[in-house]
Amino acid sequence: MLRSPHCELALARHGRPATTRAVRQVLERMRQTEPPHPAPVKAIAERALACLEDQERPSQRPVINLTGTVLHTNLGRALLAEEAIDAVITAMRSPTNLEYDIEAGKRGERDAHVRDLVRELTGAEDALLVNNNASAVLLVLNTFARDREAIVSRGELIEIGGAFRMPDIMARAGAILREVGTTNRTHLRDYAEAIGSATGLIMKVHTSNYMVQGFTAAVEPAE
């Protein structure tokens, strides 16, 4: 089969191992879905080549956002500014001092490049950057509430995309869940009454795409 002229293009583009696997996949699919009869070598080779081309096509492709939601999670959220794109390209083309302190002449920290900017923007004493909210929540809980209570409103024990569930993240971080209030109403006194020697932190969760309407009450972060 592979010696046939019809396989030359597949072999030239994708190599012998990949072409062999593709031919086997095509033959197996034909056995399962088509009546038993001799298939032309050319047809098998064409299907194998199409299979290989499909496998090499990038799964992530440009799309047009017509949803009406500008920062769309499923479409990559915010677009980068051209300056940021240029900076990424520059950093990917040559070595950089990602984790090297040039002035000290020794290993540094990658967060050092952005820590001061984040502190200036947020007013925080310090900053650690991760690439998603689940990581941030887990690290905060593990740092401040490991084997201690994390107080959170019952109405904020949510699950969002990717099976990100607050009770599960708390458990994995080693925090002890302490629910206060009810599903629809949580008051400031509920938090105050729950605070004790076992408290590690008080947690406020943005409910994202989940909302309780009607007879409700919630405590704002500033309170």
Side-chain angles (χ1 to χ4, degrees):
M1 174 70 198
L2 295 182
R3 295 177 181 176
S4 167
H6 302 297
C7 288
E8 290 180 356
L9 184 57
L11 289 168
R13 289 184 180 177
H14 305 282
R16 189 179 186 87
T19 302
T20 301
R21 287 195 299 270
V23 168
R24 289 173 177 169
Q25 291 173 2
V26 169
L27 290 173
E28 181 63 26
R29 196 175 301 126
M30 292 174 69
R31 292 189 189 103
Q32 294 176 355
T33 60
E34 299 180 11
H37 60 78
V41 173
K42 180 180 179 182
I44 298 174
E46 289 176 348
R47 293 191 187 186
L49 179 60
C51 180
L52 289 166
E53 299 290 350
D54 186 62
Q55 291 173 1
E56 286 206 345
R57 186 178 298 114
S59 60
Q60 190 169 350
R61 307 169 193 173
V63 297
I64 299 175
N65 183 2
L66 299 177
T67 65
T69 303
V70 178
L71 301 181
H72 200 296
T73 303
N74 305 134
L75 302 181
R77 285 193 176 267
L79 301 179
L80 293 178
E82 289 300 321
E83 292 85 351
I85 295 173
D86 291 340
V88 170
I89 294 174
T90 300
M92 295 175 69
R93 279 182 171 156
S94 64
T96 69
N97 61 321
L98 177 63
E99 287 188 339
Y100 191 80
D101 188 328
I102 295 178
E103 294 182 358
K106 60 182 181 180
R107 181 170 182 170
E109 297 182 24
R110 63 180 60 196
D111 284 340
H113 300 286
V114 291
R115 179 182 290 121
D116 289 342
L117 293 174
V118 176
R119 290 173 59 191
E120 181 180 348
L121 287 170
T122 64
E125 295 179 1
D126 206 345
L128 172 68
L129 274 72
V130 292
N131 72 341
N132 63 75
N133 202 30
S135 299
V137 171
L138 188 141
L139 288 172
V140 169
L141 288 168
N142 185 259
T143 301
F144 296 105
R146 181 178 177 85
D147 299 323
R148 298 175 65 81
E149 291 183 352
I151 300 174
V152 61
S153 170
R154 183 166 296 159
E156 297 173 5
L157 293 176
I158 60 170
E159 174 182 332
I160 60 175
F164 173 70
R165 311 183 79 184
M166 288 310 308
D168 293 344
I169 297 298
M170 286 186 168
R172 294 193 179 202
I176 302 169
L177 171 59
R178 176 71 184 273
E179 299 179 37
V180 296
T182 62
T183 302
N184 63 319
R185 292 177 70 82
T186 300
H187 304 282
L188 188 61
R189 64 176 181 273
D190 295 320
Y191 291 100
E193 291 171 358
I195 295 173
S197 59
T199 303
L201 56 77
I202 300 173
M203 189 169 187
K204 182 71 177 173
V205 182
H206 190 284
T207 53
S208 186
N209 53 358
Y210 162 75
M211 182 181 297
V212 177
Q213 296 179 317
F215 188 61
T216 63
V219 181
E220 294 300 319
E223 295 182 78

